[in-house]
Amino acid sequence: MILMEHIIREGHPTLRTRAEEVTFPLSAEDRQLADDMLQYLINSQDPEIAEKYNLRGGIGLAANQVNSLKRMFALHLEDENGELLSFVAVNPKIVSHSVEQTYITSGEGCLSVDRAVPGYVYRYARITVKFMTVDGEEKKMRLSGLPAIAFQHELDHLNGVMFYDRIDEKDPFIQLENSIPFGRD
Ligand code: NI
């Protein structure tokens, strides 16, 4: 079971290292890691379990964050239609994206960052993605809204990129053209 003490925090070199492609069939160890990452998210969103184990709530978790350099991450969240998206993406890629960008008005957070970092993190508003499931099945998906944002945040982790790398240093709340805000605060 993944606990907060297993999640590495900013400053750890693994968060700045590009993760490596996973080979199929998945090793028992890789599959366990995939299951554990998704389970962490599910547990962290369950008020009783989260309180019992002191888990910070999350919608996404990348392997880098548990100190493993494998190209996989878990997502567990609802889309704007209330549809549950819950999966582990192995060797994920963005195959196409909108020109339009989006950003969470209250900024992004990360389980590996124990502080609020103010500023807008611009992401593609809509993306088409491909990835492998843990069973070696290829998936293609169109994402928008929060799932699109979360997918890009996690994919960044696999490339050693932190969300705040994308905040404009001089003008953290810069308003870019051709962008739509997500959420309100
Ligand atoms: Ni993160």
Side-chain angles (χ1 to χ4, degrees), residues 65 110 153 157:
Q65 295 181 272
C110 179
H153 177 116
H157 276 305

Coordinates of all heavy atoms in Angstrom, one line a residue, residues 65 110 153 157, ligand 1:
Q65 N 6.9 9.6 -8.9 CA 6.5 10.1 -7.6 C 6.7 9.1 -6.5 O 6.7 9.4 -5.3 CB 5.1 10.7 -7.6 CG 5.0 11.9 -8.5 CD 3.5 12.4 -8.5 OE1 2.7 12.0 -9.2 NE2 3.3 13.4 -7.5
C110 N 0.2 19.2 -6.5 CA 0.9 18.0 -6.8 C 1.2 17.3 -5.4 O 1.6 18.0 -4.5 CB 2.2 18.3 -7.5 SG 3.2 16.9 -7.9
H153 N -0.5 16.8 -16.8 CA 0.3 17.0 -15.5 C 1.1 15.7 -15.3 O 2.3 15.8 -15.0 CB -0.6 17.3 -14.4 CG 0.0 17.4 -13.0 ND1 0.1 18.6 -12.3 CD2 0.7 16.5 -12.3 CE1 0.7 18.4 -11.2 NE2 1.1 17.2 -11.1
H157 N 5.3 14.6 -15.5 CA 6.1 13.9 -14.5 C 7.1 12.9 -15.1 O 8.2 12.7 -14.7 CB 5.3 13.2 -13.4 CG 4.8 14.0 -12.3 ND1 5.6 14.8 -11.5 CD2 3.5 14.3 -11.9 CE1 4.9 15.4 -10.6 NE2 3.7 15.2 -10.8
Ligands
NI1 NI 2.1 16.0 -9.7

